[in-house]
Protein backbone atom coordinates (compact mmCIF):
# COMPACT_ATOMS: atom_id res chain seq x y z
CA UNK A 1 0.00 0.00 0.00
CA UNK A 2 2.85 2.37 0.77
CA UNK A 3 4.26 1.94 -2.76
CA UNK A 4 0.84 2.66 -4.28
CA UNK A 5 0.52 5.80 -2.12
CA UNK A 6 3.95 6.96 -3.23
CA UNK A 7 3.08 6.39 -6.89
CA UNK A 8 -0.21 8.26 -6.41
CA UNK A 9 1.57 11.25 -4.90
CA UNK A 10 4.08 11.28 -7.75
CA UNK A 11 1.27 11.22 -10.33
CA UNK A 12 -0.49 14.07 -8.53
CA UNK A 13 2.65 16.17 -8.69
CA UNK A 14 3.10 15.34 -12.38
CA UNK A 15 -0.52 16.39 -13.06
CA UNK A 16 -0.05 19.65 -11.16
CA UNK A 17 3.15 20.34 -13.09
CA UNK A 18 1.36 19.66 -16.38
CA UNK A 19 -1.48 22.01 -15.44
CA UNK A 20 1.00 24.74 -14.47
CA UNK A 21 2.90 24.32 -17.73
CA UNK A 22 -0.28 24.49 -19.82
CA UNK A 23 -1.39 27.53 -17.84
CA UNK A 24 1.87 29.31 -18.60
CA UNK A 25 1.62 28.36 -22.28
CA UNK A 26 -1.97 29.68 -22.52
CA UNK A 27 -1.01 32.90 -20.77
CA UNK A 28 1.94 33.38 -23.12
CA UNK A 29 -0.32 32.84 -26.15
CA UNK A 30 -3.14 35.18 -24.97
CA UNK A 31 -1.00 37.93 -23.41
CA UNK A 32 -0.20 39.72 -26.71
CA UNK A 33 -3.90 39.81 -27.60
CA UNK A 34 -4.81 41.17 -24.13
CA UNK A 35 -2.08 43.80 -24.36
CA UNK A 36 -3.21 44.88 -27.85
CA UNK A 37 -6.84 45.03 -26.68
CA UNK A 38 -5.97 47.21 -23.69
CA UNK A 39 -3.87 49.51 -25.89
CA UNK A 40 -6.72 49.92 -28.40
CA UNK A 41 -9.17 50.64 -25.56
CA UNK A 42 -6.82 53.28 -24.09
CA UNK A 43 -6.34 55.01 -27.46
CA UNK A 44 -10.11 54.94 -28.13
CA UNK A 45 -10.99 56.47 -24.76
CA UNK A 46 -8.29 59.13 -25.14
CA UNK A 47 -9.59 60.21 -28.55
CA UNK A 48 -13.27 59.76 -27.67
CA UNK A 49 -13.75 61.14 -24.16
CA UNK A 50 -16.99 60.17 -22.44
CA UNK A 51 -19.60 62.85 -22.86
CA UNK A 52 -21.25 64.15 -19.73
CA UNK A 53 -24.92 63.36 -19.52
CA UNK A 54 -27.01 66.42 -20.22
CA UNK A 55 -28.64 67.76 -17.06
CA UNK A 56 -32.40 67.79 -16.85
CA UNK A 57 -34.38 70.98 -16.37
CA UNK A 58 -35.10 69.89 -12.78
CA UNK A 59 -31.39 69.45 -12.05
CA UNK A 60 -30.52 72.83 -13.54
CA UNK A 61 -33.29 74.51 -11.52
CA UNK A 62 -32.08 72.82 -8.33
CA UNK A 63 -28.55 74.15 -8.94
CA UNK A 64 -29.88 77.67 -9.50
CA UNK A 65 -31.90 77.49 -6.28
CA UNK A 66 -28.91 76.30 -4.25
CA UNK A 67 -26.74 79.07 -5.73
CA UNK A 68 -29.36 81.62 -4.63
CA UNK A 69 -30.25 82.66 -8.17
CA UNK A 70 -33.87 81.51 -7.78
CA UNK A 71 -35.99 81.70 -4.63
CA UNK A 72 -38.38 78.89 -3.74
CA UNK A 73 -40.95 81.53 -2.79
CA UNK A 74 -41.16 82.57 -6.45
CA UNK A 75 -41.95 79.06 -7.69
CA UNK A 76 -45.33 77.28 -7.93
CA UNK A 77 -46.16 75.30 -4.81
CA UNK A 78 -49.08 73.34 -3.42
CA UNK A 79 -49.12 72.24 0.20
CA UNK A 80 -50.40 68.70 0.74
CA UNK A 81 -53.66 68.99 2.72
CA UNK A 82 -52.74 66.23 5.18
CA UNK A 83 -49.07 67.12 5.56
CA UNK A 84 -47.90 68.43 8.94
CA UNK A 85 -44.45 69.40 7.56
CA UNK A 86 -43.50 72.92 6.54
CA UNK A 87 -40.28 73.87 4.77
CA UNK A 88 -37.95 76.49 6.24
CA UNK A 89 -34.84 77.98 4.68
CA UNK A 90 -31.70 76.03 5.67
CA UNK A 91 -29.18 77.46 8.08
CA UNK A 92 -26.05 76.14 9.76
CA UNK A 93 -27.72 75.16 13.02
CA UNK A 94 -31.26 74.45 14.30
CA UNK A 95 -33.30 77.51 15.19
CA UNK A 96 -34.82 76.03 18.36
CA UNK A 97 -34.23 73.02 20.63
CA UNK A 98 -36.12 69.86 19.65
CA UNK A 99 -38.31 70.13 22.77
CA UNK A 100 -39.58 73.66 22.03
CA UNK A 101 -43.23 74.01 20.99
CA UNK A 102 -43.54 77.38 19.23
CA UNK A 103 -47.02 78.82 19.40
CA UNK A 104 -48.04 80.49 16.12
CA UNK A 105 -51.38 81.83 14.94
CA UNK A 106 -52.39 83.48 11.68
CA UNK A 107 -56.11 83.57 12.52
CA UNK A 108 -58.14 85.04 15.38
CA UNK A 109 -57.38 82.95 18.47
CA UNK A 110 -58.80 84.75 21.52
CA UNK A 111 -60.16 81.47 22.93
CA UNK A 112 -56.84 79.64 22.70
CA UNK A 113 -54.86 82.64 23.94
CA UNK A 114 -57.11 82.75 26.99
CA UNK A 115 -56.52 79.03 27.57
CA UNK A 116 -52.75 79.48 27.42
CA UNK A 117 -52.95 82.23 30.05
CA UNK A 118 -55.70 80.96 32.37
CA UNK A 119 -54.51 77.33 32.38
CA UNK A 120 -50.88 78.20 33.10
CA UNK A 121 -50.71 75.90 36.15
CA UNK A 122 -52.06 72.95 34.16
CA UNK A 123 -49.74 73.72 31.25
CA UNK A 124 -46.74 73.94 33.59
CA UNK A 125 -47.57 70.44 34.82
CA UNK A 126 -47.96 69.32 31.18
CA UNK A 127 -44.56 70.65 30.18
CA UNK A 128 -42.89 69.06 33.21
CA UNK A 129 -44.60 65.72 32.55
CA UNK A 130 -43.55 65.51 28.91
CA UNK A 131 -40.31 67.47 28.96
CA UNK A 132 -41.62 69.96 26.41
CA UNK A 133 -41.40 73.73 26.47
CA UNK A 134 -44.16 76.05 25.21
CA UNK A 135 -42.64 79.15 23.62
CA UNK A 136 -44.71 82.26 23.00
CA UNK A 137 -42.82 84.12 20.27
CA UNK A 138 -42.37 87.87 20.70
CA UNK A 139 -42.52 88.29 16.91
CA UNK A 140 -43.81 85.27 15.06
CA UNK A 141 -43.21 87.09 11.78
CA UNK A 142 -39.45 86.72 12.38
CA UNK A 143 -39.94 82.95 12.20
CA UNK A 144 -42.63 82.80 9.48
CA UNK A 145 -40.54 85.02 7.19
CA UNK A 146 -38.02 82.16 7.04
CA UNK A 147 -40.50 79.78 5.39
CA UNK A 148 -39.49 78.53 1.94
CA UNK A 149 -43.07 79.02 0.78
CA UNK A 150 -44.64 82.04 2.53
CA UNK A 151 -48.04 81.16 1.04
CA UNK A 152 -48.16 78.16 3.39
CA UNK A 153 -48.55 80.35 6.46
CA UNK A 154 -52.33 80.41 5.92
CA UNK A 155 -52.39 76.79 7.12
CA UNK A 156 -50.91 77.81 10.48
CA UNK A 157 -54.18 79.10 11.93
CA UNK A 158 -53.28 78.33 15.55
CA UNK A 159 -51.02 75.65 16.91
CA UNK A 160 -47.41 74.71 17.56
CA UNK A 161 -44.41 74.51 15.26
CA UNK A 162 -41.62 72.15 16.24
CA UNK A 163 -38.13 72.44 14.72
CA UNK A 164 -37.11 68.90 13.66
CA UNK A 165 -33.43 69.92 13.79
CA UNK A 166 -32.56 68.18 10.51
CA UNK A 167 -31.70 68.96 6.91
CA UNK A 168 -33.63 67.15 4.20
CA UNK A 169 -34.68 67.48 0.56
CA UNK A 170 -37.71 69.57 -0.38
CA UNK A 171 -40.23 67.26 -2.11
CA UNK A 172 -41.12 69.48 -5.08
CA UNK A 173 -37.76 70.93 -6.12
CA UNK A 174 -35.42 68.50 -4.31
CA UNK A 175 -33.28 71.22 -2.80
CA UNK A 176 -32.09 71.49 0.79
CA UNK A 177 -34.44 72.76 3.48
CA UNK A 178 -35.15 72.32 7.20
CA UNK A 179 -38.59 70.91 8.11
CA UNK A 180 -40.80 72.03 10.99
CA UNK A 181 -43.67 69.85 12.18
CA UNK A 182 -47.01 71.55 12.86
CA UNK A 183 -49.50 70.57 15.57
CA UNK A 184 -52.81 72.41 15.13
CA UNK A 185 -55.09 73.46 17.97
CA UNK A 186 -58.82 73.74 17.35
CA UNK A 187 -60.92 76.21 19.32
CA UNK A 188 -62.98 74.61 22.07
CA UNK A 189 -63.67 74.58 25.78
CA UNK A 190 -61.00 73.98 28.41
CA UNK A 191 -61.46 70.21 28.50
CA UNK A 192 -61.25 69.97 24.72
CA UNK A 193 -58.03 71.96 24.62
CA UNK A 194 -56.50 69.87 27.41
CA UNK A 195 -57.29 66.71 25.45
CA UNK A 196 -55.68 68.21 22.36
CA UNK A 197 -52.54 69.03 24.33
CA UNK A 198 -52.33 65.44 25.57
CA UNK A 199 -52.69 64.13 22.00
CA UNK A 200 -49.98 66.51 20.79
CA UNK A 201 -47.56 65.18 23.42
CA UNK A 202 -48.34 61.60 22.38
CA UNK A 203 -47.76 62.43 18.72
CA UNK A 204 -44.44 64.05 19.61
CA UNK A 205 -43.22 60.87 21.27
CA UNK A 206 -44.69 58.53 18.66
CA UNK A 207 -42.18 59.91 16.16
CA UNK A 208 -38.54 58.85 16.43
CA UNK A 209 -36.35 61.86 17.19
Amino acid sequence: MSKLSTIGRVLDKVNCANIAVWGIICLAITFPFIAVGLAIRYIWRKNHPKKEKAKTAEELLKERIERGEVSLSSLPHTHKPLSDRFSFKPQDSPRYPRTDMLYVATAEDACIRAFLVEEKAWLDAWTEKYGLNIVMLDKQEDLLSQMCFPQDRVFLEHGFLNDLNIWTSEREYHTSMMPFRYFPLKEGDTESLRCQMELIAQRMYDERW
Side-chain angles (χ1 to χ4, degrees):
M1 292 295 291
S2 60
K3 289 183 179 180
L4 290 174
S5 298
T6 302
I7 292 171
R9 286 197 295 271
V10 171
L11 291 175
D12 287 341
K13 290 181 179 179
V14 171
N15 287 334
C16 289
N18 287 337
I19 292 171
V21 169
W22 280 108
I24 293 171
I25 292 172
C26 290
L27 181 61
I29 294 172
T30 58
F31 179 77
F33 297 99
I34 295 173
V36 170
L38 291 174
I40 293 173
R41 184 186 180 196
Y42 171 77
I43 294 171
W44 174 266
R45 287 194 169 183
K46 186 175 182 180
N47 294 323
H48 300 81
K50 187 177 180 181
K51 295 181 180 180
E52 290 188 9
K53 184 180 177 181
K55 294 181 179 179
T56 64
E58 290 77 10
E59 290 171 332
L60 292 172
L61 178 57
K62 176 183 175 182
E63 290 181 356
R64 293 187 65 198
I65 293 170
E66 294 187 340
R67 287 196 301 265
E69 297 173 3
V70 176
S71 172
L72 284 173
S73 61
S74 66
L75 298 173
H77 165 73
T78 302
H79 182 72
K80 287 185 176 181
L82 299 179
S83 176
D84 61 359
R85 300 297 196 275
F86 289 84
S87 303
F88 280 72
K89 296 173 184 176
Q91 60 181 39
D92 293 336
S93 59
R95 294 166 177 77
Y96 298 92
R98 185 65 175 82
T99 52
D100 277 3
M101 306 296 288
L102 314 170
Y103 182 71
V104 293
T106 59
E108 183 61 36
D109 66 336
C111 173
I112 297 174
R113 282 277 181 172
F115 170 77
L116 296 174
V117 173
E118 296 169 3
E119 295 296 315
K120 185 178 182 306
W122 185 89
L123 290 168
D124 287 344
W126 180 87
T127 56
E128 184 175 354
K129 176 181 177 180
Y130 293 107
L132 301 173
N133 181 37
I134 295 176
V135 177
M136 304 299 290
L137 298 168
D138 292 331
K139 295 180 180 178
Q140 72 173 19
E141 183 58 30
D142 291 344
L143 174 62
L144 300 185
S145 66
Q146 299 174 48
M147 296 178 73
C148 294
F149 303 104
Q151 59 268 42
D152 281 354
R153 67 176 64 196
V154 297
F155 297 102
L156 309 177
E157 292 184 346
H158 20 69
F160 299 101
L161 279 172
N162 178 243
D163 189 346
L164 296 183
N165 289 188
I166 59 173
W167 282 57
T168 188
S169 177
E170 199 281 321
R171 68 177 179 83
E172 289 177 294
Y173 300 101
H174 310 293
T175 189
S176 299
M177 63 89 178
M178 298 179 79
F180 277 59
R181 190 180 183 192
Y182 179 62
F183 300 90
L185 274 176
K186 301 298 182 183
E187 291 188 354
D189 58 22
T190 299
E191 190 58 33
S192 169
L193 288 167
R194 284 185 177 186
C195 288
Q196 290 182 62
M197 295 297 294
E198 291 291 336
L199 289 173
I200 286 173
Q202 291 174 27
R203 288 174 58 199
M204 277 286 294
Y205 284 100
D206 282 344
E207 179 175 305
R208 185 177 299 175
W209 286 20

